Structures are given as structure tokens and as C-alpha cells.
Amino acid sequence: MEETILATEAAQIPKQRGESLLETAVRYAEERHWDVFPGTWLEAVEGVWRCSCGVAACDAPGAHPAREDWATQATGSATGARRMWQKQPTASILLPTGRTFDAISVSETAGFLALARMERMELTLGPVTLTPHRRMQFFVLPGASVKVPDLVRKLGWSMASLDLVALGEGAYVAAPPTRFGSRGAVQWACRPTPANRWLPDAEELISPLAYACGRDR
């Protein structure tokens, strides 16, 4: 698995290692023009890391919206991002989908299978995240959440039969280096680079993704 991640990082922008969450959030807004908003954060409670939301059994500790109005809070302004993270420097970095990009979420196993297939097909990829929940999220042009169900049906599958979810308006993804409690941090399987600034359309990626999900059932 590690070898696959390293292979996809060839000729990528420098790693974010050592950057603060504030610096990283500002860079996402400044360099990629992505909207960002701060989520919850981790707090040490009796030697155990807990989510700032206060729910002991939180499903995404330190990595979900802290406010119900998060959609209106999100900003593509580097100045706005800096201001928000200065208030809470350890807040997670969350990116709303349905604006500058949508995301297609699949299992880690299907995601790596699809990446290998896409490489053989010489497809141009956008950024791809890998979460501690063993999910991979492929960034594509906005509108994917509306088109994907029909695209999947045309390939002979039903959405209910595949572990594939299209995230659009009203949803979000956690961006590296956001941590999910003790489970680890979100990573880039394919990093954002100048080469993938222009995102692929969902139609370009759906065939290898659906095929991989079908194999992973």
C-alpha cells in the first residue's frame, strides 16, 4: 500500500510536513481556490484524546463541523481562513463539496485498484485523499453528485450494489493533515499539483471506479 502512495507522489509539490493547520488551510484557499472551514479539534481529557464536540463516542473525533451553519462559514479567502484558524489553531480543515469540486468516495481497496487501472488508461486525475476510515475520495468537477447515479446505471450497475458515494452540495471532506482521533491523519494518495489544477469530469473516472467497486464487493 505504501509503495502505491509513493508512486503517485512522483513529481508532486513539496510535502506539508511541518506546516501548521493554519498555514495549510490558507494555502488551500490561496493556491487551489478551495473554500475551507474549521471543524472540531482534539482535546486531551485525562490522557485520552477526545473530540471538542464533547461526545465520547464521536464517529469522527476532531474532524467534523463544529457549527450547524458551516456552509455559510466556509470561505475561499486566504485572509478569512487565516482569521478563522487564528481563533482555533488546532481545528480540523474541512472542504465543502459542491462548490469548486465534488468528490467520489470509495473504499480504500477499490480506490487503489481504480488508481492502478486509471494509470494504465493514462487518465488525468485530480487530487485524491485517503482517510483513516479506509476511504478514498477522488476530486472531480462539480455536478458529479447529480450525474453519477445515471452514469453507474448506464454501466450496468445500481448505486445500491456498489460502495460508491458521490459527495456534492451539502457535504464536505476532511483535508490533510486533519486527524481523526487516534486513528491517524488524512493523507494525499494523489497530491494537488499544478498539473491537476483542472479537475476531471466524473464521466472520465466512473468506469474504472465502478469496476473496482464491483470487484471489491
Side-chain angles (χ1 to χ4, degrees):
M1 182 189 306
E2 187 65 25
E3 290 180 359
T4 307
I5 295 175
L6 291 174
T8 58
E9 288 181 353
Q12 304 287 2
I13 57 176
K15 293 184 178 181
Q16 295 163 161
R17 193 172 296 161
E19 282 190 339
S20 67
L21 287 160
L22 184 154
E23 292 169 330
T24 305
V26 167
R27 196 150 65 87
Y28 288 151
E30 206 165 48
E31 295 182 8
R32 301 298 293 200
H33 304 295
W34 289 339
D35 282 5
V36 297
F37 68 97
T40 52
W41 56 92
L42 296 173
E43 298 175 334
V45 178
E46 297 180 352
V48 178
W49 288 108
R50 297 284 177 83
C51 185
S52 62
C53 71
V55 177
C58 180
D59 289 335
H64 64 85
R67 306 166 31 160
E68 291 186 4
D69 64 344
W70 60 265
T72 60
Q73 184 189 22
T75 179
S77 160
T79 302
R82 186 176 300 279
R83 187 182 303 118
M84 289 192 290
W85 267 271
Q86 282 175 338
K87 293 178 181 177
Q88 182 48 252
T90 58
S92 53
I93 303 174
L94 305 180
L95 312 175
T97 51
R99 300 188 183 188
T100 51
F101 65 87
D102 277 8
I104 301 177
S105 176
V106 299
S107 72
E108 176 185 289
T109 307
F112 279 119
L113 178 61
L115 280 177
R117 192 173 178 85
M118 290 172 187
E119 185 176 335
R120 291 194 298 272
M121 296 170 68
E122 298 184 347
L123 294 178
T124 301
L125 288 176
V128 182
T129 61
L130 172 62
T131 77
H133 288 98
R134 301 176 69 86
R135 302 291 297 178
M136 292 180 75
Q137 292 155 339
F138 291 72
F139 289 22
V140 294
L141 288 172
S145 61
V146 175
K147 295 193 292 186
V148 161
D150 189 49
L151 292 173
V152 167
R153 280 194 295 272
K154 286 180 179 178
L155 291 169
W157 300 94
S158 70
M159 290 294 288
S161 69
L162 299 180
D163 183 9
L164 183 153
V165 180
L167 303 173
E169 187 175 358
Y172 63 89
V173 297
T178 294
R179 294 191 64 84
F180 280 71
S182 60
R183 298 171 188 166
V186 183
Q187 306 173 54
W188 289 115
C190 291
R191 291 178 172 276
T193 71
N196 63 20
R197 180 174 295 278
W198 302 106
L199 299 175
D201 190 277
E203 194 165 355
E204 299 172 57
L205 306 187
I206 198 63
S207 177
L209 284 171
Y211 171 80
C213 288
R215 286 278 302 274
D216 191 42
R217 290 189 305 169

